Amino acid sequence: MPSESTHFTLDESQIPTAWFNVIPSMPTPPSPPIHPGTKQPIGPHDLAPLFPMGLILQEVTTDEWIEIPGPVLDLYRRYRPTPLIRARGLEKALGTPARIYYKYEGVSPAGSHKANTAIAQAYYNQAEGVSRLASETGAGQWGSAIAMACSFFGLECRVYMVRASYDQRPGRRAMMQTWGAAVWPSPSPDTAVGQKILAEDPNSPGSLGIAISEAVEDAPKREDTKYCLGSVLNHVLLHQTVIGLEARAQMEKADDFPDVIIGCVGGGSNYAGLAYPFIPDKVRDGKQIRFIAAEPSACPTLTEGTFEYDFGDTAQTTPLLEMFTLGHGFIPPPIHSGGLRYHGDAPSLSRLVKDGVIEAVAYPQTKVFESAVQFARAEGIIPAPESSHAIRTAMDEALACRETGRESAILFGLSGHGLLDLSAYDRYFAGDLID
Ligand SMILES: *Cc1c(COP(=O)(O)O)cnc(C)c1O
């Protein structure tokens, strides 16, 4: 019998002590990254100018469990374990027989799941003597998470922030500055890539692909600097698995087990973090679990992209990854405010979708905001627009249960709060968001 409780907490001692690597349980392992020059699979030394060896080894490991270092666990303790909440208000509002649970990552100081990997990445860099990190940020969530993590470990932090967001999101910029980061609008005059784009268009609004190119150029130029990113790569997804490992223990406390596991996908990290620890239940043990990845129809990578090798950035400088992609030149429509704007997706997630282990759905932003508002009114939390793609999907599953009378247990990831996205809500209420 499922528990009568609503809020499922664990205590500090139950924070997972190892990250879970899904690669050994995949029906087909992801293909290796390819060097853009030689077109050969890259080796660890090819990545050494960009990343510390501790993270490179995690990028290629086939070990199933990776121990979490003590200093990382100590910082996780400041906001983990995060709550798993039964969405009783939403269930009632929908009149569904389904049981809906959400795992809430918005309680981290940076407001999203991105802190889970930012802390780990800052730790491994500092442990290898790196004193400065360069990265990019779109809407600012990753930039704020890495700025916070750098402040914990005494690292300098340079963030290239997509120009359009830099101008429109002073709140996120101020958060990064509060944690001590130097934030530059991208394209910036500080890199060759930025100078070239500014020469062609001094008013370029920038894009995530351009900002990545700038940060990737910055790092190898300086002995003291490495690059880091907040999604897509194996080591990032690995760090996020604390989400699903905790959720699993919390579902046990709820005397329940998910029939459906849902999350929103930009580059794939929060969804992988929630879902991957349950993949062996389906692939190895044959449990009937449906995995559903939700993306915006304005950036429909998994549902409409092609599965092939592509660059991670606009300037074509990163290794080639085999993934679902809309093309490295893809720029989502500016009217779109729901986040999740990356042209590609994590190779492991892409492969699991390709192999039919995970399904993908896409929603237009007006439907997404409609459910964000419904969720806020039923549950209280104002969700990030990104996370609201998962809410929409969970609601549709719950409504399908109402039709059929099926009493499914639905688990979804609420990756962050939306308190710094209220201008997007404002535009939704003003009727300015179109699909
Ligand atoms: C960055 C972000 C996402 C999308 O990134 P993933 O790597 O796909 O998780 C989703 N939700 C929130 C709140 C984010 O900040």
Side-chain angles (χ1 to χ4, degrees):
M1 273 295 278
S3 161
E4 295 291 319
S5 305
T6 297
H7 193 119
F8 301 94
T9 44
L10 300 172
D11 68 60
E12 233 176 84
S13 68
Q14 292 166 296
I15 297 177
T17 55
W19 292 299
F20 173 74
N21 181 13
V22 78
I23 309 273
S25 347
M26 289 175 62
T28 328
S31 309
I34 298 278
H35 191 282
T38 64
K39 300 282 187 289
Q40 296 299 310
I42 55 168
H45 59 278
D46 292 309
L47 294 172
L50 290 180
F51 301 105
M53 204 40 77
L55 293 175
I56 294 172
L57 294 177
Q58 291 180 0
E59 195 55 31
V60 298
T61 185
T62 51
D63 292 350
E64 188 159 51
W65 296 97
I66 314 292
E67 202 184 319
I68 304 177
V72 174
L73 274 178
D74 286 342
L75 288 165
Y76 280 176
R77 284 193 185 98
R78 298 204 183 163
Y79 64 95
R80 306 207 70 84
T82 61
L84 179 89
I85 298 163
R86 172 101 179 254
R88 295 192 183 271
L90 186 64
E91 288 172 15
K92 196 159 161 235
L94 298 174
T96 177
R99 299 180 300 286
I100 308 174
Y101 300 86
Y102 57 94
K103 176 71 169 160
Y104 184 42
E105 291 295 307
V107 294
S108 95
S112 80
H113 67 285
K114 291 202 173 75
N116 301 331
T117 185
I119 289 167
Q121 292 189 42
Y123 165 78
Y124 285 102
N125 276 285
Q126 195 234 22
E128 293 183 33
V130 176
S131 61
R132 180 176 174 273
L133 287 180
S135 198
E136 70 285 335
T137 197
Q141 290 105 324
W142 167 243
S144 37
I146 193 66
M148 177 187 78
C150 283
S151 79
F152 289 157
F153 288 98
L155 303 176
E156 256 186 82
C157 182
R158 160 67 64 91
V159 179
Y160 296 91
M161 183 175 192
V162 175
R163 178 63 188 260
S165 307
Y166 184 91
D167 294 337
Q168 287 162 17
R169 292 172 167 261
R172 280 283 172 195
R173 196 183 348 132
M175 279 173 87
M176 290 183 254
Q177 286 163 342
T178 303
W179 280 309
V183 188
W184 286 62
S186 166
S188 82
D190 211 35
T191 65
V193 177
Q195 287 162 10
K196 181 161 171 284
I197 292 165
L198 286 174
E200 286 158 15
D201 177 7
N203 296 317
S204 165
S207 72
L208 202 51
I210 294 170
I212 294 174
S213 301
E214 289 203 274
V216 166
E217 180 186 324
D218 180 309
K221 282 197 301 212
R222 292 178 51 151
E223 197 60 23
D224 62 351
T225 302
K226 297 281 187 208
Y227 168 71
C228 58
L229 89 173
S231 190
V232 177
L233 296 186
N234 292 340
H235 67 270
V236 180
L237 275 54
L238 179 75
H239 300 153
Q240 295 297 354
T241 57
V242 287
I243 302 173
L245 293 167
E246 284 179 6
R248 199 182 174 96
Q250 287 162 312
M251 288 299 292
E252 247 167 66
K253 277 190 112 175
D255 288 318
D256 215 338
F257 192 85
D259 299 298
V260 191
I261 301 178
I262 294 167
C264 68
V265 172
S269 72
N270 87 84
Y271 184 52
L274 177 68
Y276 282 4
F278 295 92
I279 292 281
D281 296 276
K282 176 167 181 168
V283 172
R284 278 189 210 159
D285 306 340
K287 270 209 178 110
Q288 299 285 321
I289 307 172
R290 282 179 61 213
F291 292 94
I292 313 178
E295 60 183 14
S297 36
C299 188
T301 317
L302 294 171
T303 49
E304 288 178 44
T306 41
F307 185 75
E308 63 188 12
Y309 273 101
D310 193 13
F311 292 99
D313 69 333
T314 309
Q316 311 184 13
T317 53
T318 66
L320 289 151
L321 301 175
E322 190 181 49
M323 58 185 175
F324 279 104
T325 173
L326 296 163
H328 54 267
F330 177 82
I331 297 179
I335 191 71
H336 180 63
S337 87
L340 313 177
R341 294 158 148 254
Y342 190 59
H343 68 271
D345 266 319
S348 58
L349 180 67
S350 294
R351 181 42 90 175
L352 287 163
V353 170
K354 176 95 181 146
D355 285 348
V357 177
I358 295 176
E359 304 163 42
V361 292
Y363 283 106
Q365 61 179 344
T366 51
K367 290 206 95 166
V368 167
F369 273 92
E370 190 185 287
S371 28
V373 170
Q374 203 174 346
F375 180 81
R377 289 176 188 173
E379 292 293 319
I381 295 170
I382 298 182
E386 293 88 349
S387 321
S388 305
H389 291 75
I391 296 174
R392 174 79 252 172
T393 311
M395 281 171 57
D396 278 358
E397 284 300 311
L399 290 171
C401 290
R402 186 174 71 186
E403 297 306 308
T404 59
R406 206 161 13 101
E407 295 179 15
S408 301
I410 300 170
L411 168 64
F412 76 87
L414 192 61
S415 50
H417 69 67
L419 295 176
L420 287 137
D421 302 285
L422 293 175
S423 58
Y425 279 84
D426 200 34
R427 280 159 62 206
Y428 169 69
F429 292 127
D432 290 345
L433 292 187
I434 49 174
D435 295 328

